[in-house]
Each structure stands twice: as structure tokens, then as C-alpha cells.
Amino acid sequence: MVTKQRNWGVDRARLFAMFCVVLIHNNLQGGALKFDLLSFQSLIFALIENCGIIAVNLFAIISGYLMCDSRVNLSKAISLWVEAIIWSGFVGVLLYLNGSLGKMELLKSFFPVSNGFYWYLNAYFLMLPLLPILNAGLSKIDRRDIANLSMLLCLMGSLASFPGWSNGTRIEAGYSTIWLVVLYMGMRPKLWRR
């Protein structure tokens, strides 16, 4: 039986990315990231945001590295979806009981993925069915073709969007299924071998 060894560098990068995500979300919700760059404090907040914003790309790269040539685990994806529904619904009920949320918003909180509350989850779910096709196709083309395809996808994602699917499909501030695919393609071992 072959056992996988733990890659501590990947684990450290994942922990750093998690810390950055928490930092950015706390600063955003606290209003700190609504800065005007007119004070030293605002410059510090801008520096924190610019250092922390890489977390999303880091998560995508780590996912691409860990998922490279692996099979799609549908049960794990479904459990992630259910988890999002439970947490979103739980917070929605608390906010409704607190009087901070109306009935319509409460109802929407039980459909977080379809309402675009979690853009990364949306982008990830749109990418999952593409993985078997990507793995099969990318194993048959060379490094230059992968690089050209990545550039084409970046251009497509920047210029095009799919009607009604703008959350998760178009590169909006760098966040989309297309961008996850580009980062996934960049983690191909074929690109890094000489």
C-alpha cells in the first residue's frame, strides 16, 4: 500500500492563506478597508489588504497542486455544499431573530450557492465537472500549448461573461471559475519539469 507523505510546506501555505482571508474579512466587515489613503492609518490598511489579498490565489494554487491528476470526489463536494447551506441558514436565522434580516433575505440565506453569497464556492463547483476533461486534455498537450491556453482563458475571462452567471464565471477582481482553471493548469507537473 502506498501512503502519501504530508507536505508541510503546503500546510504552512494553507495556514497562511487562511490567516490572510480572516484578516481581510475582519478588516472589510469592520470598515477598515474603506480607506481613502489620506492618513498613515489608511496606508497601513491598504498595505494589509495588498499583502492579504493573495490568499485567494494561494488557495487556488494549493487546490490545483493537491488535485492535479486526482479524481473528483463528488461526496466531498456535496458535503461542502451542505455545510455552506447549514452555516448560511444558521446565521440567517440568528440575524432574523435579531431583527437584522427580513423574511426574503432569510429565505435567500438557505440558498447561498445559487444566490452567489460564496463566490469561491460557486467558482469551485463550476470547476469540478471540468476537472476530468482538463486532466485528460492537459495530459496530451505540451508546455507551450498549456501556456497559450492559460493566456486565452485569462483573456476570455476578462472580456466575456455568461449571461445570468456573472458570479463565478467572469474574472471579477480576479475571482472566477476561469481563473481557478488557469491556476489549476499552472500546477501541472509537465510545466515544471525540464
Side-chain angles (χ1 to χ4, degrees):
M1 184 169 106
V2 178
T3 59
K4 285 188 174 182
Q5 287 191 343
R6 189 157 202 110
N7 187 330
W8 293 104
V10 171
D11 287 340
R12 286 185 193 106
R14 194 183 330 210
L15 283 171
F16 174 73
M18 284 182 216
F19 173 75
C20 289
V21 166
V22 169
L23 185 70
I24 291 292
H25 285 165
N26 282 336
N27 282 337
L28 180 65
Q29 296 305 321
L33 295 184
K34 295 175 175 71
F35 48 77
D36 54 15
L37 297 180
L38 297 177
S39 69
F40 182 72
Q41 183 180 10
S42 292
L43 289 173
I44 296 298
F45 289 142
L47 178 66
I48 289 170
E49 180 185 24
N50 285 308
C51 289
I53 206 75
I54 64 161
V56 173
N57 290 332
L58 192 54
F59 266 126
I61 289 170
I62 290 168
S63 297
Y65 175 77
L66 295 174
M67 293 169 54
C68 198
D69 294 329
S70 64
R71 301 187 75 185
V72 175
N73 187 345
L74 192 57
S75 65
K76 189 174 180 181
I78 290 169
S79 102
L80 193 59
W81 189 307
V82 170
E83 211 173 299
I85 291 169
I86 289 170
W87 279 108
S88 180
F90 174 72
V91 171
V93 168
L94 289 179
L95 290 173
Y96 178 75
L97 293 174
N98 184 26
S100 303
L101 211 61
K103 288 181 183 176
M104 197 59 177
E105 288 82 15
L106 174 63
L107 183 62
K108 283 183 177 180
S109 73
F110 286 97
F111 302 95
V113 177
S114 58
N115 283 304
F117 293 159
Y118 303 115
W119 67 264
Y120 193 90
L121 199 56
N122 289 5
Y124 181 75
F125 279 126
L126 289 172
M127 183 180 154
L128 283 177
L130 298 174
L131 285 181
I133 300 164
L134 278 171
N135 286 337
L138 292 174
S139 66
K140 295 185 180 1
I141 61 177
D142 64 9
R143 290 165 57 146
R144 190 172 355 136
D145 290 336
I146 292 174
N148 289 337
L149 185 57
S150 294
M151 286 189 281
L152 176 66
L153 285 172
C154 283
L155 184 63
M156 273 178 45
S158 299
L159 301 176
S161 66
F162 299 98
W165 283 22
S166 65
N167 188 356
T169 56
R170 178 173 54 195
I171 297 181
E172 297 174 12
Y175 308 137
S176 73
T177 302
I178 294 171
W179 186 239
L180 290 180
V181 168
V182 169
L183 291 173
Y184 178 80
M185 288 169 47
M187 293 314 301
R188 303 297 298 176
K190 186 187 292 188
L191 285 177
W192 304 103
R193 285 191 209 119
R194 298 219 177 236

